[in-house]
């Protein structure tokens, strides 16, 4: 890159040189200037981008992004919806008759959650490393089909041990999805947060829908010899399996290897050019030097710690805390499953607010929403730890306390940006973030979120306060480290 003292003539020549390289990469037949390219090296942003980023792009790029969003964002969101639906259904079933029918009066729900988490932890990093070698369009849908089939088998379980085994393998199959999709998403910085958060919001919608679904299918209680909670698992698979199979036909892979039937050759070339401008490295190989580079950088440690604090600082350790409090207050099965969906709906709304403000108001900064969600978690969990508070304030804390879950997409968007120049590091860091967060989640709830202490999880709420403080400190630390790293890269580039 040229230094700041470069002359105007050299600037024009450098621009022409960049244009020529762009033309060579896309196999164009004639020479064009950069202005004729449908992709701008630095995306233009006006007030229209506050609503949706494609409004400021060229017609060609706008058409491409419309197709990409229509397929991959829809597929990713539906897939994450069914993943979360099949992940949290055991909570809905537990508070809707499964506990009584199977005699689960100890900490069995904790163990069910822990078995899923152990499977999830074991599978994440190997799966994401595998995605740098095989086609995501085959691997990810195949795992979706597997967990969909295993879910229906839960309806035939008669003992807790049978549920433990199935939950382990469901977690193992689901481990491919979230970090895998985050690795595959091929958007530029000005587009990434919104799409990552839309994708993540589908998980909250899945949680919300599970509650509504349980309330609805409970009316089938006794039909064909199945209890209401058993019908939940059957219907979950009925919803999940067609979506999983559709993935084989629509998932586009990453730009460098895609053979998607719904993309033209020009659009594939445009997708590759976009990643070049973004500095996104192509797939390479894992070598000893590569591993040394990854594990001597602050990226993998700081970003992983950030996601540990996020993941274990929201969601009450996988326990249906709000629902169990409602149950202790004598609410009906329909109310127990429906009222917590208000919190999930609010989490979806705030997920979108975080994404749009991060990309527009905060000019691509990811840390402000993280600090905000941490402050909210400190306030709500401190109040719930006190417990003897007005009922209205307790309702408020449970409903507003879930909005911190909306920053997940931003944490991964930040990781993509920080690790953009090394494909293998990006895959490993993204997987490690999710992996280590669930390693902690495998044991922490067994200590601070014990089922026998419900609904007054004093230890759990206190722990969440300290985790929220850790989230704030870590996000601010990453901000400083990233700024220093970018300044150092710019300094080296100017010297060259």
């Amino acid at each position: 890159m040229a230094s700041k003292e470069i002359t105007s003539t050299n600037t024009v020549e450098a621009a022409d040189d960049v244009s020529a390289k762009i033309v060579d990469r896309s196999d164009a037949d004639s020479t064009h200037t950069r202005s004729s390219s449908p992709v701008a090296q630095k995306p233009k942003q006006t007030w229209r981008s506050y609503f949706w980023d494609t409004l400021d792009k060229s017609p060609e790029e706008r058409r491409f992004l419309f197709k990409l969003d229509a397929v991959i964002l829809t597929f990713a969101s539906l897939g994450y919806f069914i993943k979360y639906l099949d992940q949290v259904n055991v909570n809905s079933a537990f508070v809707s008759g499964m506990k009584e029918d199977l005699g689960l009066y100890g900490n069995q729900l904790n163990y069910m959650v822990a078995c899923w988490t152990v499977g999830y932890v074991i599978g994440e990093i190997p799966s994401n490393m595998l995605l740098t070698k095989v086609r995501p369009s085959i691997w990810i849908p195949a795992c979706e089909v597997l967990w969909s089939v295993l879910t229906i088998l839960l309806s035939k379980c008669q003992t807790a041990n049978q549920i433990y085994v199935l939950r382990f393998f469901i977690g193992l199959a689901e481990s491919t999805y979230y970090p895998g999709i985050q690795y595959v998403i091929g958007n530029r910085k000005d587009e990434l947060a919104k799409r990552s958060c839309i994708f993540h919001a589908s998980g909250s919608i899945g949680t919300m829908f599970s509650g509504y679904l349980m309330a609805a299918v409970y009316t089938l209680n006794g039909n064909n010899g199945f209890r209401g909670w058993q019908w939940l698992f059957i219907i979950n698979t009925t919803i999940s399996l067609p979506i999983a199979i559709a993935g084989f036909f629509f998932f586009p892979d990453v730009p460098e290897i895609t053979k998607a039937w719904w993309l033209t050759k020009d659009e594939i070339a445009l997708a590759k050019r976009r990643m070049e401008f973004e500095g996104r490295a192509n797939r390479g190989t894992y070598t000893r030097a590569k591993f040394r580079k990854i594990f001597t950088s602050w990226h993998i440690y700081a970003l992983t710690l950030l996601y540990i604090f996020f993941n274990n600082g929201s969601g009450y350790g996988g326990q249906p805390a709000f629902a169990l409090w409602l149950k202790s207050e004598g609410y009906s099965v329909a109310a127990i499953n429906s009222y917590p969906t208000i919190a999930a709906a609010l989490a979806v709304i705030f997920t979108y607010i975080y994404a749009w403000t991060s990309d527009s108001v905060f000019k691509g900064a990811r840390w402000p929403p993280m600090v905000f969600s941490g402050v909210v978690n400190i306030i709500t969990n401190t109040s719930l730890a006190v417990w003897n508070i007005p009922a209205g304030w307790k309702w408020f804390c449970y409903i507003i306390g879930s909005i911190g879950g909306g920053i997940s997409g931003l944490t991964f968007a930040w990781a993509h940006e920080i690790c953009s120049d090394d494909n293998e590091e990006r895959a490993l860091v993204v997987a490690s973030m999710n992996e280590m967060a669930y390693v902690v989640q495998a044991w922490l709830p067994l200590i601070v979120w014990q089922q026998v202490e419900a609904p007054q999880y004093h230890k759990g709420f206190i722990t969440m306060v300290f985790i929220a403080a850790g989230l704030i400190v870590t996000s601010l630390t990453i901000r400083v480290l990233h700024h220093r790293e970018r300044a150092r890269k710019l300094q080296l580039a100017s010297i060259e």
Side-chain angles (χ1 to χ4, degrees):
M1 183 181 293
S3 67
K4 292 181 180 178
E5 291 77 23
I6 194 167
T7 64
S8 300
T9 303
N10 289 340
T11 303
V12 173
E13 290 172 355
D16 290 340
D17 183 58
V18 172
S19 277
K21 289 178 181 178
I22 294 169
V23 172
D24 288 340
R25 290 191 191 104
S26 61
D27 296 322
D29 295 325
S30 59
T31 303
H32 297 282
T33 62
R34 183 185 299 174
S35 61
S36 66
S37 172
V39 184
Q41 185 165 8
K42 185 176 181 181
K44 177 185 175 183
Q45 285 188 296
T46 67
W47 62 269
R48 295 187 299 178
S49 295
Y50 280 53
F51 297 98
W52 193 243
D53 45 70
T54 61
L55 297 176
D56 282 327
K57 299 186 185 297
S58 68
E60 296 89 346
E61 192 173 10
R62 200 178 304 150
R63 281 194 297 271
F64 164 75
L65 282 171
F66 175 79
K67 292 170 73 171
L68 192 68
D69 290 339
V71 176
I72 193 171
L73 193 57
T74 300
F75 169 76
S77 297
L78 285 174
Y80 195 50
F81 166 79
I82 63 172
K83 176 220 177 269
Y84 238 84
L85 188 65
D86 295 339
Q87 175 185 335
V88 303
N89 53 20
V90 70
N91 289 339
S92 298
F94 184 84
V95 298
S96 303
M98 186 174 76
K99 173 183 177 180
E100 292 77 13
D101 290 346
L102 301 186
L104 309 176
Y105 293 103
N107 282 324
Q108 291 93 337
L109 180 60
N110 290 95
Y111 303 142
M112 291 174 193
V113 174
C115 286
W116 179 91
T117 304
V118 170
Y120 198 79
V121 164
I122 290 173
E124 283 185 277
I125 289 180
S127 174
N128 249 38
M129 293 179 71
L130 190 63
L131 284 176
T132 66
K133 303 300 176 188
V134 302
R135 289 191 173 277
S137 59
I138 297 174
W139 177 244
I140 292 177
C143 291
E144 285 185 275
V145 169
L146 177 60
W147 89 59
S148 298
V149 172
L150 292 174
T151 295
I152 199 172
L153 298 181
L154 288 170
S155 66
K156 301 298 291 181
C157 289
Q158 299 298 316
T159 67
N161 288 338
Q162 292 171 342
I163 297 176
Y164 298 155
V165 173
L166 284 174
R167 289 283 292 174
F168 169 82
F169 285 105
I170 289 171
L172 188 65
E174 289 188 356
S175 70
T176 63
Y177 201 79
Y178 191 74
I181 292 293
Q182 288 289 357
Y183 163 71
V184 168
I185 288 177
N187 288 98
R188 304 188 70 179
K189 181 177 179 179
D190 64 309
E191 308 158 358
L192 193 56
K194 286 192 279 291
R195 286 158 179 82
S196 289
C197 286
I198 289 171
F199 164 52
H200 177 77
S202 58
S204 297
I205 295 172
T207 302
M208 183 170 58
F209 188 74
S210 182
Y212 292 138
L213 188 62
M214 185 68 251
V217 302
Y218 195 74
T219 60
L220 297 175
N221 192 35
N223 280 17
N224 296 320
F226 291 104
R227 302 284 287 170
W229 61 268
Q230 292 174 308
W231 275 109
L232 177 65
F233 297 126
I234 294 169
I235 293 174
N236 279 175
T237 295
T238 304
I239 295 170
S240 302
L241 198 56
I243 296 172
I245 293 171
F248 289 109
F249 302 96
F250 289 97
F251 200 76
D253 293 316
V254 292
E256 64 190 276
I257 61 169
T258 186
K259 294 181 179 178
W261 58 268
W262 45 270
L263 287 174
T264 66
K265 289 183 179 180
D266 288 341
E267 287 169 338
I268 293 172
L270 186 148
K272 293 177 180 177
R273 196 176 308 133
R274 280 163 44 86
M275 293 301 96
E276 289 171 4
F277 280 147
E278 203 63 17
R280 189 77 61 85
N282 288 337
R283 305 203 306 181
T285 58
Y286 284 103
T287 62
R288 184 176 299 178
K290 176 82 71 173
F291 281 116
R292 188 183 303 113
K293 173 182 175 293
I294 293 170
F295 287 103
T296 55
S297 168
W298 62 265
H299 297 172
I300 193 167
Y301 304 107
L303 289 167
T304 298
L305 185 62
L306 179 72
Y307 202 72
I308 288 173
F309 284 136
F310 155 73
N311 196 63
N312 290 276
S314 59
Y316 308 112
Q319 297 297 300
F322 192 5
L324 288 172
W325 174 64
L326 292 172
K327 189 170 186 175
S328 72
E329 295 291 310
Y331 285 86
S332 67
V333 170
I336 291 169
N337 283 283
S338 298
Y339 287 142
T341 64
I342 300 172
L346 199 60
V348 172
I349 293 170
F350 270 85
T351 299
Y352 296 146
I353 291 173
Y354 296 149
W356 261 257
T357 55
S358 177
D359 275 349
S360 55
V361 177
F362 300 120
K363 306 298 183 184
R366 310 307 183 195
W367 61 270
M370 296 179 191
V371 172
F372 172 78
S373 69
V375 171
V376 171
N377 281 348
I378 289 173
I379 294 170
T380 56
N381 286 290
T382 299
S383 300
L384 291 171
V386 174
W387 192 252
N388 292 320
I389 56 178
W393 181 249
K394 190 173 289 186
W395 271 88
F396 176 83
C397 289
Y398 274 124
I399 290 173
I400 204 74
S402 296
I403 67 174
I407 64 170
S408 179
L410 293 184
T411 63
F412 282 101
W414 213 0
H416 284 305
E417 293 158 12
I418 292 170
C419 304
S420 63
D421 60 354
D422 191 321
N423 180 73
E424 283 62 49
E425 180 189 38
R426 190 166 59 87
L428 188 57
V429 167
V430 166
S432 295
M433 289 166 65
N434 226 32
E435 167 99 4
M436 297 311 298
Y438 280 99
V439 166
V440 175
Q441 191 171 307
W443 57 266
L444 185 62
L446 299 177
I447 300 172
V448 302
W449 294 106
Q450 293 184 355
Q451 177 189 326
V452 293
E453 296 178 354
Q456 189 175 349
Y457 298 101
H458 183 72
K459 291 182 292 187
F461 296 132
I462 289 292
T463 303
M464 296 261 276
V465 173
F466 286 98
I467 288 176
L471 174 73
I472 294 170
V473 172
T474 306
S475 63
L476 294 174
T477 302
I478 292 175
R479 174 181 179 265
V480 172
L481 292 172
H482 191 207
H483 279 208
R484 287 179 180 174
E485 184 174 81
R486 286 192 299 180
R488 188 165 56 250
K489 286 181 179 179
L490 286 173
Q491 186 178 21
L492 291 173
S494 66
I495 293 172
E496 295 173 3

